[in-house]
């Protein structure tokens, strides 16, 4: 018998904060996706900007079961469920380990990757026929768009193709949950 090799679908997660990391971990653990996570700035920069502040919810509400499994696989102790961490503690005891776990488990994880545009290939908004069969095309810069190369073009611009895109603004607009 010939066995068919299963090809993983390509998933791009936009945003490397708590939500993006959790989605990426769950997608990698499902075994169905080849994950690429894009973070606009430095890892966890937003959380670190309020790092001195204690979270309003305890660890049990800020760490998922798949995330805690990732910590176990890395040999990292789980945080105390009833403790209330600061933003910096959240980054150091949890988020940075999820980032490391993703890299260790084959995900592509990039910081300083600014998504300029998202489209369905070369289709325009009115091209509806067959749209769901066309992969997503992301235009990504290695820096923010305010920084231009000496020739006036955006520095480090590249195309990225994938089968699915997850971003917080996309999740907020969906009526059905995304099942990984």
């Amino acid at each position: 018998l010939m066995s068919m090799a299963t090809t993983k679908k390509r998933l791009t997660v936009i945003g490397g904060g708590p939500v993006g990391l959790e989605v990426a971990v769950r997608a990698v653990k499902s075994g169905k996706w080849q994950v690429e996570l894009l973070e606009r700035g430095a890892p966890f920069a937003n959380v670190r900007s309020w790092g001195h502040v204690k979270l309003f919810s305890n660890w049990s509400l800020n760490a998922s079961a798949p995330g805690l499994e990732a910590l176990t696989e890395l040999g990292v102790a789980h945080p105390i469920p009833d403790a209330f961490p600061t933003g910096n503690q959240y980054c150091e005891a949890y988020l940075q380990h999820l980032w490391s776990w993703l890299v260790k488990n084959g995900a592509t994880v990039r910081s300083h990757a600014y998504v300029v545009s998202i489209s369905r290939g070369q289709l325009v908004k009115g091209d509806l026929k067959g749209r769901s069969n066309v992969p997503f095309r992301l235009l990504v810069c290695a820096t923010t768009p305010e920084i231009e190369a000496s020739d006036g073009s955006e520095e480090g611009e590249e195309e990225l193709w994938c089968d699915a895109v997850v971003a917080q603004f996309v999740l907020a607009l969906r009526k059905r949950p995304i099942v990984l």
Side-chain angles (χ1 to χ4, degrees):
L1 291 172
M2 280 184 93
S3 63
M4 293 182 71
T6 57
T7 304
K8 291 183 180 181
K9 290 188 174 193
R10 299 160 298 169
L11 172 68
T12 301
V13 178
I14 301 172
V19 173
L21 287 168
E22 293 282 4
V23 167
V25 166
R26 176 169 246 150
V28 169
K29 282 186 166 288
S30 77
K32 299 175 187 176
W33 301 96
Q34 176 56 46
V35 175
E36 179 147 5
L37 184 138
L38 305 174
E39 170 54 44
R40 179 180 181 161
F44 339 118
N46 187 35
V47 176
R48 288 199 187 279
S49 72
W50 49 264
H52 62 286
V53 177
K54 190 175 278 196
L55 274 66
F56 299 115
S57 51
N58 62 26
W59 276 110
S60 68
L61 298 173
N62 288 297
S64 69
L68 292 173
E69 288 173 14
L71 265 58
T72 300
E73 291 172 26
L74 292 172
V76 174
H78 291 199
I80 300 167
D82 295 333
F84 289 78
T86 64
N88 285 332
Q89 290 168 331
Y90 187 43
C91 291
E92 293 160 14
Y94 190 64
L95 299 180
Q96 78 179 26
H97 295 299
L98 295 186
W99 188 282
S100 297
W101 184 90
L102 287 166
V103 171
K104 183 178 178 183
N105 285 276
T108 302
V109 182
R110 296 169 42 188
S111 60
H112 303 285
Y114 179 81
V115 178
V116 177
S117 68
I118 303 172
S119 64
R120 282 283 192 166
Q122 302 299 325
L123 299 179
V124 293
K125 212 175 203 179
D127 296 336
L128 302 177
K129 189 172 183 179
R131 187 175 192 82
S132 63
N133 298 323
V134 177
F136 287 93
R137 175 186 173 266
L138 285 74
L139 184 60
V140 180
C141 287
T143 58
T144 60
E146 294 82 24
I147 301 173
E148 292 183 358
S150 58
D151 65 359
S153 66
E154 293 180 352
E155 194 172 328
E157 202 171 89
E158 68 175 292
E159 280 186 339
L160 203 132
W161 294 86
C162 61
D163 301 298
V165 176
V166 176
Q168 286 189 42
F169 63 88
V170 174
L171 290 173
L173 296 174
R174 288 187 58 90
K175 293 180 181 175
R176 296 181 294 141
I178 296 173
V179 178
L180 301 175

